[in-house]
Amino acid sequence: ETTWKMATKMPVDSPEGQVFEKFAELTEEYTDGELKITVYPNEQLGKENAVLEQLQANIVQIYAEGFGYMKKWEPALGWLAGPYAFDDFAHWQRFMNSDTVKGWFDNAAAESGVRPLGDPTLVLRGPFRVTVSNVPVESAADYEGLKMRMHENKVAIDTWDNLGAEVITLPWTEVYQSISKGIVQAVNSPIALVESMRFNEVAPYITRMDEYWQSVGFMVNESALEALDEDTRDGLLKAYAEAGELSQEIMFSVADESIERMVADGATYTEIDISPLVEKMATFYADMAESGELPEGFLEAVEAARTPTQ
Amino acid sequence: MTPLDYQPEGPLQRALNRIDRLNWSLGGAFLWISNICLLVMLGLTTATIILRPMSMAPYWMWPWTMVFFIWLSFFGFFALYARLKDVRIDFVAERLGPSGMVITRIVSDAATLVVTGVLILQIPKVIATSNGVYDGAILPAGFELPRLALSVPLFISTVLVALTAVLDIVKLAAGMPENVTDHHPEV
Amino acid sequence: MAWILFGTFIALILMRVPISIAIGTATVLTFLTSDFSTALQIIPQQMLEGVNKASLTAVPFFIMAGNLMNATGVTERIFAFANSLVGHLKAGLAQVNILSSMIFAGISGAAVADCAGLGAIEIKAMRERGYKPDFAAAITVASSVIGPLIPPSIGLVLYAFLAQQSVERMFLAGLIPGILVGLSLMLYVRFRAQFEEFPTQPRATVREVAGTAKHGFLALVAPAIILGSIMFGFVTATEAGVLACIYCILIGIWYKELTFRAFFAALSDTAMMTAVIMIIIAFSIAMGWLLAIDQTPQKLADFTFSFTENKNVFLGLLLIFIILVGCVVEGVPAKLILVPTLLPLIDAYGIDRVHFGIIIQLGLLLGIATPPMGIGLYIVAEVGRVRFEKVTMAVLPMLIPLVAVLLLLTYVPQTVTFLPDLILGPQN
Ligand code: NA
Ligand code: NA
C-alpha cells in the first residue's frame, strides 16, 4: 500500500479542486486501496518551480498544473499552448498526441524523471479563454490599440503586440484595481476565473476568443510510477481517464452558469470568429520559425495535425 | 567592541584581528550591496509610477525589482550577521555573569554552524535542480537571468556567515573578545 | 514537531542567538527530526520561495518611510504639532506621546521606527519636563502599538498575502482599531492623572497651534496622501510605500533638513531591517512547508473543532493563544506559522478573515511590549537609557487598555469590518 502526495495550486472547492478530490477518491477505489493520494491544495507546498523540484526528488509524486512549466527541461514544451496556432480544440488535441510532442515529453523525462500521466489533454482547464474588457470587443479588429494586461511572458507579449494590442504587464492580483483605475482596459483570462476575480464588475464585456487550449497536466515522478505494480497502474490510469471526463462536465457547466450570472448582472457575452487572428499569427510563426525561435518540427507538427488522419 | 577597536597582543591575535577586520569590511561591502539593491528597487518603482500613465513602462521593470528584492534579502544575510544588525537578547546571559557570555557565545556560534552547515551541504542539489530562467528578467541584449542567480547570493552569504562563526570560535580560543554592538550606558 | 520548533527557537533566543539564526536552527532541527530529514534541499528552495513574494516588496518602503521621517526632522514637526494640541492636558506630554504615534503611524509601517526615532524625542522631552523615565519609556512602547494598526502596516501587508485578502481592505480594517488603541491609552493616562501628579505645561494659543500646524503641514498631509493613493489613486501598496519615501525625501529637501549622511544612514537601517525580516520569513516559509506536508493545520482544526463548536469560546481561546505566542515569538515568524495553520479553523468557525487579521495583528503586537521577546522594550530601554526591567514593570498596567481594545475588536467584529465594508463593499 502506497500513499502519493499530489500538489495543486487550486483551492479544494474550486472546479479543478473538485476534479482532483474525485481523482484521489477514484484512484483509491480502482486500485483496491493499494494507492492512496493526499491532495495538497492552495500552493501549500510552494510555487511551480519549487513543486517541480520536489516532484523530481520524489518528495511529491503528482503535480497537477499546466505542462508549460516543464519547458525548463525541454524548451519546446513552452510552445504547447502556442496562441492562435490551432483552428480548434480537436486540432490541438491531435497535435498534443503527435509523435513530435511525445518526443518532447520523452526528452523532459530523460532530463528530470518527470512525465505526463496518460493523454495530456484529458483534464480541461479554463475550459476556454476570454478577453474581459471595459470596452466592447466584437471582432478581431477591436484588439487594435486595446490596452491589455499581460503576464511577464515574452510569447504572450509579442503575440498581442503583433495582434495590435497595447500590452502592459501587471501582476494578476492587481488586475482588478488596474482596470478600475484605467491603467489597462482588458485582461485575458480563463472563463473560470473571471467571476471569482470579480473582473466583470469593472470590465463587463466578456469575449470568448480561444487564444489557446489548456489542459491540467498530471505530471508524475517516473520512478514512483514504475514502482507501482501493473494492476495499480491500470487503476490509476482508469481514475485519470474518468477524472478527465468529469472535468469536461464540471468545467463547462460551471462556465455556463457563471456566464449566465454575469450576464444577469449586466455583463455582455460574445464569441468571436478567431480565423483572422489565426491568419494574422501565421506569418508571425513563419518568421519565428525562420529566425530559429520556434522548436524544431513545431510548425510541421501543427500542420500535420490540422486535418484528422482518418 | 568591533575588530577596529581591539588591541591585539602577540602574533596570533594580530593575525586573527587582521582577518577579523577584513571580515568586518566585507560585511560593510555587503551592507552596501544591499543598499544599492534597495536604491535600485526605489528607482525602478519610481520610474514605473512615472512611466506607466504614459504607457511607457517596460515590462521587465517589475521582474527586475523582484530580483533586486531577493538579492537585498540574501546579500543582507551576511551583512546583518557580520555587522551585528540582528536582534539579540542578552538579559539572560547577563544574569549568568561572565560565564554566561562565554556559554551563549559558543551556543550562538554552534547554532550558526548547524544552520549554515545544512544549507551549504544542499548547494550541489540546488545547483542541479535550478533550471530555467527568472521569467521577465531580461536585459536589452536578450540575456535572461538564470533562476540559479537568485540563490547564489544566499549561498555566498551562508558560506561567509559560517566562516564568521568559525573565526569567532578561533578568536575565543585565542582569548579575544567577541564582536558586539555599542551599548549605551543605562542611567 | 511544534514543540521542537518553538522550544528550540525560544531556548536559542534566550541564549543570545541572533533571531534569524535562531529561527533557522529551529527549522533545521525540526526538519532533521521529521520524515523529511533526507529532503533538506527543501530548506534553501523554500527560502527562495519565501523572499520571492511580490506583495512583500512593500516591506522595505514602509520601513524606509519611518526612517526617513526620523532623518528629515519630520518627526520633530509631528511632535511639536501634537504638543501644541494636547500638551496642556493633564499629563500633557504623555498625551502628546500617544497622539504623535497616531500621526506618525500614518506614514510609517513598523513599530520599531516609532520606538527608535519618535521615541527618542518623546522620552527626552518627557524626562526634561520631569516625567519618570520608566513611565516615559513605557508609554512610548505602548503607543508604538498603534503604528502597525493604522495604515500603512508591514504586518497587515504580510497578513493580506498569507490570507489572500486585498491589502487595501486590510489597511482600511486597521484604521479604526488603531485609533481606538490611541484613544484607550489617552483615557488610561487621563485616568491615572486623576490620582497622580504629572508635570504640566501651559495651553498653546490658537496662534501657536496654527504655527506648528503650518510648520508641520507637509508632514501632516502625508498620511492622507499615502492612504488615499492606495484607496482611490493609481498605485499598488508597494508603489504607495515608494511614494511615501519620495515624499519624505522631498519634504527633507524642502525644509533643508535632509543631509546625505542622514539619508544613507536611513537607507542602511532600512536595508538591514528588511534583510532581518526577509531572512526570518525565508526560514519560516521553509518551516511552513513542513507543517503543510505534515497536514498540521488540518489536524489542529479537527482537534480544536472536536473540543468546542462555540465560536465565542473559540475566539477566547484563540486570543489567549495568540497573546502567549506573541510574548515569545516575534510578529513576523509568528504570523507566518500561525496564519496558514489557523485559517482552516477560522473558516470553519465562520470568522471573517479580515476580522481575524486585525485580531492576530494586535494580539501579536502586544508582544513588543511584553518580556522576554519585547523588541519595543529593548529599543526604548536603549534610546531612553532606562533599565529594561523598569520599563517592563511600568508598561504592565498599560497592557490593560490594550487588552480591553483587543477584546472589543474580537467580540464586536463591526469595529473592524465596518470601514472596509463601507468603502470597498462587503466581501462575498
Ligand atoms: Na502605520
Ligand atoms: Na509614542
Side-chain angles (χ1 to χ4, degrees), chain C residues 304-386:
Chain C
T304 313
F305 221 68
S306 70
F307 191 67
T308 174
E309 286 189 25
N310 183 304
K311 179 170 160 180
N312 287 332
V313 174
F314 170 72
L315 278 172
L317 294 174
L318 186 68
L319 273 192
I320 295 170
F321 177 66
I322 290 174
I323 293 174
L324 287 179
V325 170
C327 287
V328 286
V329 184
E330 212 272 323
V332 171
K335 249 181 236 115
L336 281 159
I337 303 295
L338 288 188
V339 172
T341 311
L342 291 174
L343 275 183
L345 266 172
I346 298 305
D347 293 345
Y349 281 99
I351 297 163
D352 185 82
R353 287 191 177 191
V354 174
H355 181 211
F356 172 59
I358 300 299
I359 295 176
I360 195 168
Q361 173 74 358
L362 179 54
L364 291 175
L365 268 173
L366 297 184
I368 67 175
T370 55
M373 269 298 291
I375 308 264
L377 296 174
Y378 287 94
I379 296 173
V380 294
E382 187 81 13
V383 300
R385 315 275 165 96
V386 195

Side-chain angles (χ1 to χ4, degrees), chain A residues 187-310:
Chain A
V187 58
N188 291 340
S189 161
I191 182 69
L193 295 184
V194 175
E195 206 180 6
S196 62
M197 295 300 290
R198 312 198 336 263
F199 289 154
N200 56 313
E201 290 175 12
V202 287
Y205 299 96
I206 302 164
T207 309
R208 174 168 178 173
M209 48 59 153
D210 291 329
E211 183 182 14
Y212 48 76
W213 283 271
Q214 266 181 309
S215 58
V216 180
F218 277 39
M219 294 168 264
V220 292
N221 180 293
E222 229 173 5
S223 61
L225 189 64
E226 277 160 16
L228 301 176
D229 62 53
E230 203 160 306
D231 289 343
T232 310
R233 213 174 312 151
D234 288 346
L236 177 68
L237 283 167
K238 189 174 166 202
Y240 172 67
E242 237 174 79
E245 282 165 32
L246 182 74
S247 84
Q248 303 267 355
E249 271 168 45
I250 294 186
M251 298 308 286
F252 276 102
S253 68
V254 166
D256 289 345
E257 284 163 21
S258 168
I259 290 169
E260 217 168 276
R261 273 193 306 273
M262 289 189 287
V263 168
D265 278 352
T268 311
Y269 177 72
T270 354
E271 296 180 1
I272 56 166
D273 173 20
I274 66 162
S275 53
L277 297 169
V278 175
E279 213 166 290
K280 220 171 175 178
M281 286 299 287
T283 47
F284 178 83
Y285 279 119
D287 289 349
M288 293 223 342
E290 198 145 313
S291 62
E293 283 174 78
L294 283 181
E296 191 88 6
F298 174 78
L299 280 190
E300 292 79 356
V302 171
E303 267 323 303
R306 185 146 267 145
T307 43
T309 33
Q310 271 92 19

Side-chain angles (χ1 to χ4, degrees), chain C residues 284-299:
Chain C
S284 306
I285 292 282
M287 191 58 226
W289 181 92
L290 193 56
L291 293 172
I293 203 152
D294 186 53
Q295 300 204 302
T296 307
Q298 291 84 335
K299 288 178 195 164

